Amino acid sequence: MKQEDRLSHFLNEESKFSSTGVKRRTMMPRNGSVSVFMTEGMKEEAVWAHGDAYAGSIAIARADIIARQVDEVGAETSSRLHVIFDNDPPLHASITGFPDEKDHVLLVAQVLADKCGLPVRRGGPGEGVLTQE
Amino acid sequence: MPAVFEETHSCQLFIYSGTTAVEAPTRTGVLMLNADGTQVSTYILERKAVMEELRDLYRKARTVNWDGDNGAPVSPVAYEWARKLLTSVPLHVPAPEVSVDPDGHVNFDWTAGRNRVAAAIDERGLVYFISLVDGNRIRGVIRDFSRTFPVRLLDELRPLLAT
């Protein structure tokens, strides 16, 4: 994975974002990590289709962040935040290295959320349906 | 004091930073008055709505995997602590947005532009807070919350109230 690669966390609820951006709880870790997909270089339709196929439900928006920014958030918040690419499911990676203290986790998640871009799916579910060959 | 209480069941004296006010239910809702009887603000629907939202969130999140993503449940004790904290929010502070974290803690968020203060409360009544205001990032834990809204949290919220 390159430093400038885009990582996407798929959002399936409107409560996870607002007109002002990605909400903090979206970037709160589950079992110590935040699940993302390496979507760099993919066409928009393919990104949505990938989320539908592998992120567990139909995506309505994404929290996009550059891999380098994850490291930057780690440095800014004195945490050991980093990305681990595991490709299971395909293109899957995890943002991990969250601190142990809850207040510290809140801070890291908030700074992460603030860095995220928020592409919202325009065509609704079904746009970019993954075609099987 | 003017006769503004058409139907008063009980009054609550509210004192903060030298300001004394009376909070009282009326036929139309809850009224907050300054000591001289002038009206400070009505917050009837906003507070009621947030309290109901918290209750609805608890109903949704009180079982394991409530979010379909292995979210930890909000325990009855954590819910009670969250209710206490929400109830204690002073009247001059806007009602927060409430949500539940994957670890089952209830969150309260206050936002004003890019400035934000957030607090999460757990089943022990510990209040974890962050403050991102004017480029400063502060975090901490309040260990002595019981009934009164934490002064430390109020201090962090003060810049948001001014905007």
Side-chain angles (χ1 to χ4, degrees), chain B:
Chain B
M1 181 176 288
V4 293
F5 300 117
E6 294 176 349
E7 179 185 324
T8 300
H9 304 289
S10 63
C11 293
Q12 183 180 355
L13 196 63
F14 173 71
I15 304 173
Y16 169 69
S17 294
T19 301
T20 304
V22 174
E23 176 190 339
T26 70
R27 274 190 194 140
T28 52
V30 179
L31 199 60
M32 182 179 168
L33 301 174
N34 286 318
D36 62 1
T38 57
Q39 186 172 329
V40 175
S41 66
T42 55
Y43 72 110
I44 319 157
L45 297 175
E46 185 190 54
R47 294 298 165 104
K48 190 164 177 280
V50 176
M51 199 58 85
E52 287 173 356
E53 195 182 341
L54 174 62
R55 188 195 59 206
D56 291 345
L57 272 173
Y58 171 59
R59 286 176 177 166
K60 178 186 173 191
R62 62 186 168 182
T63 55
V64 177
N65 195 31
W66 57 273
D67 57 354
D69 203 6
N70 293 318
V74 179
S75 70
V77 177
Y79 171 63
E80 279 307 314
W81 277 115
R83 245 173 39 86
K84 271 188 190 176
L85 185 59
L86 185 55
T87 306
S88 75
V89 176
L91 302 181
H92 67 289
V93 175
E97 180 183 338
V98 293
S99 61
V100 177
D101 273 346
D103 59 9
H105 296 173
V106 177
N107 270 291
F108 301 94
D109 280 271
W110 292 266
T111 306
R114 292 196 61 79
N115 293 335
R116 59 197 74 196
V117 172
I121 191 161
D122 70 7
E123 62 284 347
R124 293 171 295 174
L126 296 181
V127 180
Y128 308 91
F129 72 91
I130 58 170
S131 165
L132 290 88
V133 175
D134 298 334
N136 297 315
R137 295 170 180 165
I138 295 169
R139 63 182 175 93
V141 185
I142 296 161
R143 301 175 188 279
D144 59 355
F145 170 66
S146 57
R147 291 181 61 184
T148 309
F149 194 73
V151 172
R152 179 66 201 275
L153 202 49
L154 206 48
D155 286 343
E156 298 301 333
L157 281 164
R158 212 178 301 278
L160 276 68
L161 306 180
T163 55

Side-chain angles (χ1 to χ4, degrees), chain A residues 12-13 15-16 22-25 28-31 76-77 101-104 106-107 110-111 114-115, chain B residues 60 67 69 71 97 99-103 105 107 109 116 118 120 128-130 132 137 139-141:
Chain A
N12 57 6
E13 285 180 26
S15 63
K16 292 183 175 178
V22 175
K23 292 193 177 178
R24 181 189 63 257
R25 73 182 184 92
M28 288 293 285
R30 293 169 187 275
N31 299 319
E76 286 176 29
T77 59
E101 304 89 354
K102 175 66 188 253
D103 55 319
H104 202 175
L106 288 173
L107 183 65
Q110 184 65 67
V111 177
D114 288 346
K115 298 263 185 190
Chain B
K60 178 186 173 191
D67 57 354
D69 203 6
E97 180 183 338
S99 61
V100 177
D101 273 346
D103 59 9
H105 296 173
N107 270 291
D109 280 271
R116 59 197 74 196
Y128 308 91
F129 72 91
I130 58 170
L132 290 88
R137 295 170 180 165
R139 63 182 175 93
V141 185

